[in-house]
Amino acid sequence: MWWRNVTLVYAAAFTAIGILGFVPTFLSPPPEGMTLAVESFHGYLLGLFPVNLLHNIVHLLFGLWGFFAYFSSRLASRSYLRSVAVAYAVLTVLGFIPGLNTLFGLVPLHGNDIWLHAVLAIVAGYVGFMVHETEAGTEKRAEWRA
């Protein structure tokens, strides 16, 4: 149950953020001197998170993938969360590396995106890897074994 619920939240959030990234009202201009290979819709979403056209498309794809996983099965939901955890952990690390914090000039991954990506990875990783459902469908946290 947890996997599917969290998958649905991620799907809705990614889709909403992807759509908001295409609405100029929600974008503030990027700082002077910051250029990307893809400048369309480049700015700070809600004044906080750097986005551009490709970034918005990625959010939409993760959202659609999440909806597909949610409506498919519990296994698909769990696999989705595990994939999100790994992908966003990698994006978090890339955000700290100058030169890679724009993914080779294609997608901005710096600033507030770093901590947001880290939180997304941690939550998805915890639910996807650590929460186990019993046969009765109730959830229990993983037990740490030495």
Side-chain angles (χ1 to χ4, degrees):
M1 185 78 98
W2 268 91
W3 302 325
R4 295 191 77 204
N5 291 338
V6 174
T7 297
L8 182 60
V9 169
Y10 271 62
F14 278 129
T15 302
I17 294 303
I19 291 169
L20 286 179
F22 289 111
V23 180
T25 305
F26 294 105
L27 294 174
S28 58
E32 292 292 321
M34 177 169 287
T35 59
L36 293 173
V38 179
E39 290 289 330
S40 298
F41 297 100
H42 184 210
Y44 282 86
L45 183 61
L46 305 174
L48 297 170
F49 305 103
V51 295
N52 71 346
L53 175 70
L54 295 177
H55 206 149
N56 296 333
I57 291 171
V58 168
H59 287 144
L60 287 173
L61 290 174
F62 268 90
L64 294 175
W65 179 20
F67 281 120
F68 177 77
Y70 174 79
F71 288 111
S72 292
S73 67
R74 284 187 290 173
L75 179 60
S77 291
R78 187 172 190 182
S79 297
Y80 170 78
L81 291 173
R82 288 177 172 185
S83 299
V84 167
V86 171
Y88 276 81
V90 169
L91 293 175
T92 300
V93 172
L94 291 175
F96 283 111
I97 303 171
L100 294 180
N101 65 359
T102 60
L103 203 59
F104 307 106
L106 298 174
V107 178
L109 302 172
H110 51 80
N112 288 325
D113 263 2
I114 296 172
W115 67 262
L116 179 61
H117 289 163
V119 169
L120 291 170
I122 290 166
V123 172
Y126 179 77
V127 176
F129 288 103
M130 303 303 294
V131 174
H132 300 285
E133 294 186 10
T134 63
E135 303 241 348
T138 58
E139 299 81 21
K140 72 174 196 174
R141 284 187 273 158
E143 295 176 17
W144 294 95
R145 297 181 188 149

